[in-house]
Amino acid sequence: MVDDMVDDCEKQETAVTPIDEWIEAQDFETTADIDIPKSLADQVIGQDKAVEVIKKAATQKRHVMLIGDPGTGKSMLANSMVEFLPRGELQDVIAYHNPEDPNEPRIRTVPAGKGKAIVNEQKQAAMAQKQQRTSFLTAIGVMIIVLSLSLYILGGMRDPTILLIGLIAVTLLYFISRPMNQRQENALVPKLLISHDDPNMPPFIDATGSHAGALLGDVKHDPFQSGGLETPAHERLEVGAIHKASKGVLFIDEINMLRMESQQSLLTAMQEGKFSITGQSERSSGAMVKSEPVPCDFILVCAGNMDAIEGMHPALRSRIRGYGYEVYMNNSMEDNDENRLKLVRFVAQEVNKDKKIPHFDKYAVGEIIREAQRRAGRRGELTLRLRELGGLIRVAGDIAHEKGSYIVSRADVLEAKKVARSLEQQITDRYIEHRKAYKSYATEGAAVGMVNGLAALNASSNMTEYSGIVLPIVAEVTPAQTKNGGKIIATGRLGEIAKEAVENVSAVIKKYTSSDISNYDIHIQFVGTYDGVEGDSASISIATAVISALEDLPVDQNLAMTGSLSVRGRVLPVGGVTAKLEAVAEAGIKKVLIRRDNEYDVMIEEKYRDRLEIVPVDNLRDVLDQALIGGSKKESLLCKLSGLAIKPIASPTP
C-alpha cells in the first residue's frame, strides 16, 4: 500500500528520479572530484534571490535584513557581501591628545596602510625628545654632584651635610622630572585606533551578541587619575564594531537581543556615518571622555528569526526598509537534478571547511540528499537548514575517521543518523521508550470511545526533526450535571491550540450526530499526555472517539489516525507525518489514516514500507467509515454525514 502511494505521489509531482538511480548515474566517485567555487556568494545553496539582493545592496551600499530559520545561510550571505564592495576606500583612524580639552581627543583619518607609519614616526620623535631630556637632566644631576664634592673637598667645607643636600637635590630632580617626561611622551604619541593590513579588502565584522561597549566603542577606566600617573584620554579610547566595520559590513545576528539603547545608538551611527567614542559605564572615569566623531560608514546586515522583528527598534527597522532590503530566507528548495548537484557541492564544501574528515563517496552523498528530503518535510523538496545537515556530515566523517577509512561510506552516514540526534530528540526518544514499556494503547480488537491518535514531538522550535508517538484518546459520555447544558471537558496538559481544537470538534458533533450533546457531559482524556500537547492534529481522533461514545459504536484498535478538522467536517493536513507513521509501525499498528494532501509528505524509511497500510481521507465521513465497526447503525450514521462531501467554491460573479 505504501509503495503504491509513493508511486502515485511521484506521478503527481514533477518527475523526480529516485536517489539510488540518480546517484548511480553521476560521474563523480568522491567529493574530492567536485569543484568548489572560489566566490563565497557562489557557495551559498538555494538562496538565489537573496544572493541577488546582496549583490545589489553591496553595489548601492544598502542595508539588509535577513529573516529566516537558523542554518539557512544568513551569516554566509552577509560575509559574501564584502566581495562586491568597492575597493580602495578604507581609512586608518588615529586618536591624538587634545591640549585644549584633554577629555575630547582629536580624531584624524589617513589612507589605509598609512596609520602605522605615522604612529611609528611620532613614537620615534617622542623617543628622541625623551633622550634629549634624559641627557639634559643627567647633565644637571652630574653638575649638582660635582658642585657638592667641590664644596666638600676643595672649598674646605668638610660638613657632610653638603653631600647629603646634593644627593637629595639629584633625587628630587629625578622624581619630579619622571612623570613630566611620561606625560609629555604620552601626549606626543597618538593611538592607532583602526588599521588595515590589506587596504583593498573591506572589513566584515560580526558583532552578534556584543555588549554596548564592544558595539559602540568605550573608554577604559583609569584608576590613576592624578599625581602625574594618569593615562591620557586618547590612549584609553577603544573603538567599537561599528567603527571597525567602516567602509565594510557590520553583521548582527539575533538583532532583537540588542538593548533598545544600543539599537538607538546604532541607528544614529547609520544615519550620521560617524559616532563619538565615550565611556559606556557611568561610574567609570571614562564617562567624562568623549572623542571627536569617529567614521563608521558601514553597511548593516542584521538577521534573525521571525520573532526578531518584534524585538527591533521601530525606527531602526524603518531605516532598513527605507534605505535597504528585507529578505525572507528559503527553508527548502525544489527537489530536482540541479539542486541535488548543489547539495553534492555542499558536502564537498563542508569536508573542505572542516579539514579533519575524509571525503564522501557518491553513495554516502546520496544518503545525505535522502536525509535532506526527509528533513524538508514534504515530497518534492530539499531542506535548506544546512547547518543541521552539516552536523550530520561531520559526524559521519568522524565515524569514518575513527574506523581508519579514507572515504566516508553510506554505512557511515546511516550510523551517523543514529548518533547525530539533538539533545531534545534524545530526551524525547527516551520518553517514548518508557511509554512503550507500559503500553497504554491497544493494537488489536475494537473498543467504544477509544482511538489511537498520533503526535509528533518537537522539543525545540528550531529543530526540523520530529519524534512520533502514539497518543491514545478516550472519550466518555455522562448525563449533564448542570441546567445550562452539557460540557466538553478535556483532561491532559493541553496547549491553547489543542484546547481550541477540542472546542471546534464540538461544532461538527452537534451538527452531524443524532444525539443532543447538550444533555451530556463529554469527557475527553489524552492518556499519558506529555507536557504541553500543542496543535490540532488530534482533531479527527477526538471527533471519532466522541462520536463512538455517543453512538455506542466500537473503533478498530488496529488503526491510528492524524489530521486536523474544520468546523464543517473537512480533514485538513498536519505536520510531522513521517515521524507519526514510523511511530505507528513501531507500535505494531497496521493501518493509519492521514489527510490526502499529506501523502506527498510521507518519507518513511524502507523498513517501514511493508508494515503499514496508509489510507488517505478527505472528510469526517471517510474517517468514520474506516474507523468504526458496526452494521446498520454505522450505515445510518454515515448517511447523515454524506453532506460532508467537499463542494467546489463558486467563481465570483463578474
Side-chain angles (χ1 to χ4, degrees):
M1 178 63 186
V2 176
D3 291 333
D4 295 340
M5 187 199 69
V6 171
D7 292 340
D8 292 340
C9 293
E10 291 178 350
K11 291 177 183 178
Q12 294 187 39
E13 296 289 313
T14 55
V16 177
T17 307
I19 292 295
D20 293 337
E21 296 180 19
W22 183 86
I23 203 69
E24 187 67 44
Q26 301 308 305
D27 57 2
F28 73 94
E29 293 301 322
T30 72
T31 50
D33 303 330
I34 305 300
D35 293 329
I36 299 176
K38 295 182 179 180
S39 172
L40 197 59
D42 293 335
Q43 294 180 24
V44 177
I45 307 293
Q47 306 291 350
D48 296 341
K49 292 183 179 179
V51 171
E52 292 179 10
V53 168
I54 285 293
K55 291 180 179 179
K56 292 178 184 177
T59 304
Q60 299 296 332
K61 294 187 176 180
R62 308 292 190 196
H63 305 297
V64 180
M65 181 162 65
L66 303 172
I67 298 297
D69 293 339
T72 51
K74 297 188 288 291
S75 59
M76 194 173 182
L77 277 170
N79 210 333
S80 71
M81 199 171 185
V82 298
E83 298 174 351
F84 309 102
L85 290 176
R87 300 293 193 265
E89 294 186 356
L90 303 182
Q91 296 175 323
D92 288 351
V93 180
I94 306 173
Y96 289 88
H97 171 67
N98 185 354
E100 298 177 0
D101 185 356
N103 285 328
E104 188 179 1
R106 291 173 176 170
I107 301 297
R108 299 291 182 267
T109 58
V110 297
K114 302 293 184 182
K116 286 184 179 179
I118 293 174
V119 172
N120 289 334
E121 183 180 344
Q122 293 289 338
K123 283 183 178 179
Q124 292 176 1
M127 185 63 68
Q129 290 190 17
K130 179 180 179 181
Q131 291 175 351
Q132 290 178 359
R133 286 193 300 270
T134 301
S135 300
F136 177 71
L137 292 172
T138 301
I140 293 176
V142 171
M143 289 176 61
I144 293 174
I145 292 174
V146 171
L147 179 60
S148 299
L149 289 173
S150 298
L151 292 174
Y152 181 77
I153 298 173
L154 300 178
M157 301 177 66
R158 296 292 180 173
D159 188 354
T161 306
I162 297 298
L163 296 177
L164 182 61
I165 292 174
L167 182 60
I168 292 174
V170 171
T171 304
L172 289 175
L173 179 64
Y174 172 77
F175 281 106
I176 292 173
S177 62
R178 183 181 178 186
M180 183 181 300
N181 290 340
Q182 189 67 36
R183 283 198 300 269
Q184 290 176 349
E185 181 183 355
N186 291 340
L188 283 174
V189 179
K191 180 177 182 179
L192 183 60
L193 297 180
I194 299 176
S195 176
H196 298 281
D197 295 329
D198 184 356
N200 293 320
M201 191 62 185
F204 173 81
I205 305 298
D206 188 346
T208 302
S210 297
H211 57 76
L215 178 66
L216 307 171
D218 206 347
V219 180
K220 292 180 180 177
H221 174 70
D222 185 8
F224 305 102
Q225 301 180 43
S226 60
L229 300 176
E230 67 272 9
T231 303
H234 76 284
E235 281 286 345
R236 293 187 283 135
L237 295 183
E238 295 293 334
V239 293
I242 61 173
H243 307 110
K244 296 176 184 177
S246 187
K247 304 299 181 181
V249 174
L250 176 67
F251 176 66
I252 304 178
D253 201 358
E254 303 299 338
I255 182 70
N256 56 312
M257 299 304 292
L258 281 181
R259 297 174 57 187
M260 281 296 172
E261 296 85 349
S262 296
Q263 293 191 42
Q264 179 63 55
S265 298
L266 182 63
L267 174 62
T268 302
M270 291 168 59
Q271 292 173 331
E272 302 297 331
K274 53 187 178 180
F275 195 82
S276 298
I277 299 175
T278 187
Q280 296 298 325
S281 173
E282 296 179 355
R283 298 183 179 181
S284 169
S285 62
M288 298 298 296
V289 177
K290 184 177 182 180
S291 73
E292 292 180 350
V294 180
C296 56
D297 182 18
F298 58 86
I299 295 175
L300 175 65
V301 180
C302 61
N305 303 326
M306 284 301 298
D307 58 353
I309 299 175
E310 299 177 3
M312 284 187 67
H313 193 294
L316 177 60
R317 186 185 175 195
S318 177
R319 180 77 183 182
I320 296 173
R321 294 187 67 187
Y323 295 89
Y325 299 88
E326 292 184 339
V327 179
Y328 186 66
M329 304 289 289
N330 298 327
N331 57 15
S332 65
M333 60 182 177
E334 184 181 352
D335 185 3
N336 54 36
D337 291 351
E338 180 183 359
N339 289 336
R340 287 181 180 182
L341 288 173
K342 290 180 180 178
L343 285 183
V344 174
R345 175 163 55 83
F346 170 72
V347 177
Q349 290 173 186
E350 291 298 295
V351 172
N352 283 357
K353 185 190 302 182
D354 189 86
K355 301 185 184 304
K356 294 181 291 186
I357 59 176
H359 280 280
F360 284 52
D361 67 25
K362 64 194 305 184
Y363 304 105
V365 174
E367 195 59 37
I368 294 294
I369 297 175
R370 194 191 313 277
E371 185 63 18
Q373 291 177 329
R374 288 174 51 80
R375 297 191 183 192
R378 181 172 176 79
R379 183 171 297 277
E381 294 183 0
L382 299 167
T383 185
L384 284 176
R385 296 189 60 152
L386 300 179
R387 185 181 297 129
E388 297 169 11
L389 206 61
L392 177 63
I393 291 170
R394 276 177 279 279
V395 173
D398 290 344
I399 291 173
H401 179 74
E402 185 179 8
K403 294 178 179 178
S405 301
Y406 294 100
I407 295 295
V408 180
S409 67
R410 181 174 181 268
D412 296 327
V413 178
L414 292 175
E415 185 176 348
K417 288 170 67 173
K418 300 176 182 178
V419 176
R421 296 177 70 80
S422 69
L423 178 62
E424 292 87 354
Q425 277 196 306
Q426 293 177 49
I427 294 172
T428 300
D429 291 345
R430 189 166 300 178
Y431 174 80
I432 292 171
E433 288 300 320
H434 286 308
R435 284 181 57 91
K436 288 180 180 178
Y438 302 97
K439 273 194 174 181
S440 54
Y441 50 85
T443 59
E444 56 185 17
V448 174
M450 295 183 63
V451 174
N452 290 321
L454 297 173
L457 308 187
N458 183 5
S460 171
S461 60
N462 288 333
M463 297 299 298
T464 55
E465 300 170 79
Y466 294 89
S467 295
I469 188 172
V470 176
L471 180 64
I473 298 173
V474 180
E476 187 63 58
V477 177
T478 62
Q481 299 297 312
T482 63
K483 297 180 180 180
N484 297 327
K487 297 180 180 179
I488 295 183
I489 304 167
T491 60
R493 298 175 59 86
L494 306 184
E496 291 300 321
I497 299 177
K499 291 178 181 177
E500 292 176 4
V502 172
E503 294 296 328
N504 291 340
V505 165
S506 65
V508 179
I509 296 172
K510 289 176 184 177
K511 183 173 182 179
Y512 293 105
T513 66
S514 59
S515 302
D516 183 2
I517 66 171
S518 62
N519 296 326
Y520 302 98
D521 286 338
I522 300 176
H523 298 261
I524 303 171
Q525 181 184 12
F526 290 74
V527 180
T529 306
Y530 56 92
D531 288 349
V533 171
E534 193 52 284
D536 61 347
S537 63
S539 295
I540 62 171
S541 305
I542 297 169
T544 302
V546 172
I547 292 174
S548 169
L550 283 170
E551 302 292 337
D552 196 28
L553 285 170
V555 177
D556 184 1
Q557 297 301 293
N558 196 24
L559 173 144
M561 61 182 72
T562 183
S564 179
L565 189 65
S566 74
V567 293
R568 294 189 174 183
R570 180 179 179 182
V571 180
L572 306 176
V574 293
V577 174
T578 296
K580 293 174 183 178
L581 296 189
E582 292 178 351
V584 170
E586 288 288 347
I589 298 173
K590 304 298 184 183
K591 189 175 182 181
V592 62
L593 310 182
I594 64 172
R595 164 65 189 177
R596 190 176 302 278
D597 293 345
N598 279 135
E599 290 179 347
Y600 309 116
D601 305 332
V602 177
M603 301 288 292
I604 61 176
E605 298 279 4
E606 291 290 336
K607 61 181 180 180
Y608 298 120
R609 295 202 172 199
D610 296 331
R611 296 161 58 178
L612 275 179
E613 178 186 0
I614 302 177
V615 180
V617 293
D618 294 310
N619 51 58
L620 184 58
R621 185 187 187 284
D622 297 340
V623 174
L624 297 178
D625 187 22
Q626 294 289 334
L628 297 180
I629 297 176
S632 58
K633 194 172 183 180
K634 172 184 173 181
E635 294 300 324
S636 176
L637 176 62
L638 294 179
C639 287
K640 297 175 184 177
L641 297 173
S642 59
L644 289 177
I646 300 172
K647 298 178 181 179
I649 300 175
S651 302
T653 305

